[in-house]
Amino acid sequence: MPEFPADVPRAALPGQERFVAPLDQTPLAETGSFDDSRPPENQWKEAWKRLRRNWIFWVSVALLAVVAVVVLLPQWFTDLDPTYAQLSRSLEGPSEGHPAGFDRQGYDVFARTIYGARASVLVGVLCTIVVTVPGVVLGAMAGFYGGWLDAVISRVADVFFAIPLLLGALVGLAIINNLWPDRGYWGSILTVVFALAAFGWPQVLRIARGAVLEVKNLEFVDAARAIGKTRRANLWGHVVPNSLAPVIVLATVSLGVYIVAEATLSFLGLGLPPSIVSWGNDISAAQNQVRSGQRLGVMFWPASALALTSLGFILLGDAVSDALDPKSRNRE
Amino acid sequence: MAWYIGRRILQAIPVLLGSTLLIYAMVFAMPGDPIVALFGEKPVSEAVRSQIEQQYNLDKPFFVQWLLFLGNAAQGDLGMSFSGRPVSELLAETIPVTFKLALMALVIEAVLGIIAGFYAGLKRGGIFDSTMLVTSLLVIAVPIFVFGFVMQLTFGVKLGWAPVTVGGDASWDRLIIPAFVLGLVSFAYVLRLTRTSVVENLTADHVRTARAKGLTDGQVNRRHVLRNSLIPVVTYLGADLGTLMAGAIVTEGIFNIPGLGNLAFRAIQQKEGPTIVSVVTVMVLIYVVMSLIVDLLYAWLDPRIRYA
C-alpha cells in the first residue's frame, strides 16, 4: 500500500468519496428536539382517531345502535304479540296498525321482524365470543411456544377447518336435535352457537397464530424479556395485546357472517326450532309465498332486517380494519 | 419442489384421517337404529339383525368400525345407503353435477369479480367504485337463499327465461341461474380482493417504471397492474372451489339440483351414516388437494416465493 502524503485527506481516495456534510452544517439539535415529554400515542388511541374520521364507521354505529335498541326493548316498537296468529287474516296486505301485513299463519310480519332480532343477534354475538376466546388463546400459545405444542394445536385445528362449516354444523345439529329435542329458548340458541363455533374457531386460531408469529420477534418483546418478564407474562402482557388487531377485524366481520349462517341453518330446518321467533325461520317460512309470487312482503321484512344488521357489523369491520391497518393510511 | 410436495402430502394424511374420525364419531353418536331404518315398518327378527350387524360390522367397537370403514373406503367400498344402493354409486352420480355447478359459479364470479374489481380499483373513489363496494357488502349481508328465491321468481316464474327448478336434467344452460346464485358471495370477495390489490399495485415501483419508459396507460394497466394484482385473486379462487361445492347445499335445495349437497342434506335428515361420512370425506379431500394446488400455484405466479 502506498503511503499517503500527509496533506491529502484519506476520504478523498478515488472511488471512495464519502459525502458527509461538515459538522457545523449538520443540525444536530434536530435529533434532540424530539418531544419525549409525553409517552408516544398508543396504537389503539391512534386507531380510534382514524376511526372517528371515517363516515362508514358512523353509519355502522347508527345501524347497530338501532339494532341494539330493538333487541333490548322490542316492546317500544310494537304493541302486538309476535306469537298471536289470526288465521282469518292469513296473507292479508298492509293495513292500519299492521304496516307489513300478515304471513301465512296470520302472524303480524312487522311484530315478528322486531321480535326476531333478538335470536339472530344473540346467535351472532355469542358465536363470535365462543369462537374468538379459544381461537386467540390456542393460537397465541401455538405461535408463541412453537414446537410440539404448535404442531398438535395446528393439526387439530386443521382437522376441524377441513370440514365445511355449514356441513359440519348441520351434522352436529342433526345429532343434538335427536338427543335433546325439547330444549327451550336458551338451549336452542346455545346449540346453534356451539354447532357453528365448533367448525369456526380454527379460522380465528390461524389468524391469531399468524399475528403472534409476526409480533413475537419484535424488539419490544426482547426488551420485556430483558427487564426480567417471564415468558408467560410476556405472551399475555405484550405479545397478545399487540397482535389483536387482525383478530378484532375478523371478529367484527364474522359476527355479520354468523348471523347469516344462523338464518341459513334455520332455512334448512335444522337451526332454531319454529317456536322461536327468528328472521331465519320467518324467511324460511315465507319461501312458498315468494316462489309463487303471492306476497313478497312476507319475506322482504325479515330479510331486510337481517341484511341491515349483518351489514352493520360488516361495515364496522371494514372501518375498524382501515383504522387498525397502518398501510391503509398511505392508501386513502 | 418434489420434496415440498411430498412433505405436504404427508402432512395432509393426519388431517384427512382426523376429519373422517371426527365426522365418523359424530355420525356414531347419532341416535336411532340404522337397521330399523333399513326395514321401515317391517319387524326385524333377531337372526336377521345379528346377520346385518355382522355384515356391516355394527357389532364391533367404534374404533374398529372406523378402521374397517377406512380400509373399505380405500378399496372403493363406501358402504350402502338405506335405499340399498352403494354410496360410491351415489357419489359417482352426484359429484359431476355439483362439480359442474361449482365450476360454472367459479367462472362467473372470477370474470365478473375481476373485471369489476379492476375498474373499481383504477378509478378508486369514483361512482363505479362506490357502487361496487356497496353492492359487494350487500351481497355478503343478505343470505344466499334470499337471492336464490328472488332469482327463481324473476327468471323462472315471472319471465320464464330459465327453468324454475333444474330437476333431473342438469345441463349447462339450465344451471346458469343457480351457478350465478352460488357464486354471488364469492363474487363480492373476488371484487374486493382485486380492487385492494389493484390499488396497491398502482403505486408500486414496477408500475412507475413501466410508465416512465413510455408505455401507454392501457398497456401499463393490463400488463403490469392487472397481471400482478391477480396473484392473490387466483389463489383465492383455487381455495374457493371446495367452498363452493360445500356451499351448494343451499343452492341445490332451492333449485332442486340432484348434486352432492342435496345428497348430503337428505342423508343428514335421514341419519344415513355411510353417506354422510362419505360426502364429508369427499369435501375434505377436495379441500386438501385444492390447498396444495393453491400453494404450488402461488410459487408459480410469484417467483419470489421459494419452498424449502
Side-chain angles (χ1 to χ4, degrees), chain A residues 158-164 166-168 170 172 174-175 178 206 260 263-264 267-268 283 287 290-291 293 296 299 306-307 310-311 314-315 318 331-332, chain B residues 15 18-19 22 26 29-31 124 137 140-143 145-146 149 152-153 157 192 196 199-200 246 249-250 254 264-265 268 271 276 280 283-284 287:
Chain A
D158 281 350
V159 164
F160 282 85
F161 194 77
I163 297 175
L166 200 58
L167 208 56
L170 279 175
I175 298 168
N178 277 286
R206 287 181 165 203
V260 175
T264 310
F267 161 71
L268 290 171
I283 297 172
Q287 55 179 298
V290 169
R291 270 202 179 132
L296 299 180
M299 187 182 282
L306 180 101
S310 136
L311 190 66
I314 292 168
L315 282 177
D318 240 32
R331 256 190 269 145
E332 297 303 325
Chain B
V15 174
S19 305
L22 177 66
M26 287 173 76
M30 273 190 177
R124 187 163 54 97
L137 288 173
I140 299 170
V142 177
F145 52 91
V146 173
F149 289 138
Q152 196 177 35
L153 177 70
V157 180
R192 291 169 69 87
T196 314
V199 167
E200 254 167 40
I249 199 163
V250 175
I254 295 170
F265 186 59
I268 290 170
K271 297 186 263 325
I276 300 176
V280 174
M283 296 288 186
V284 174
Y287 161 77

Side-chain angles (χ1 to χ4, degrees), chain B residues 120-159:
Chain B
L122 285 184
K123 301 236 170 356
R124 187 163 54 97
I127 295 171
F128 182 72
D129 183 27
S130 311
T131 321
M132 278 299 128
L133 277 185
V134 172
T135 312
S136 68
L137 288 173
L138 270 177
V139 165
I140 299 170
V142 177
I144 188 81
F145 52 91
V146 173
F147 283 117
F149 289 138
V150 173
M151 298 288 279
Q152 196 177 35
L153 177 70
T154 322
F155 294 101
V157 180
K158 288 272 161 71
L159 294 172

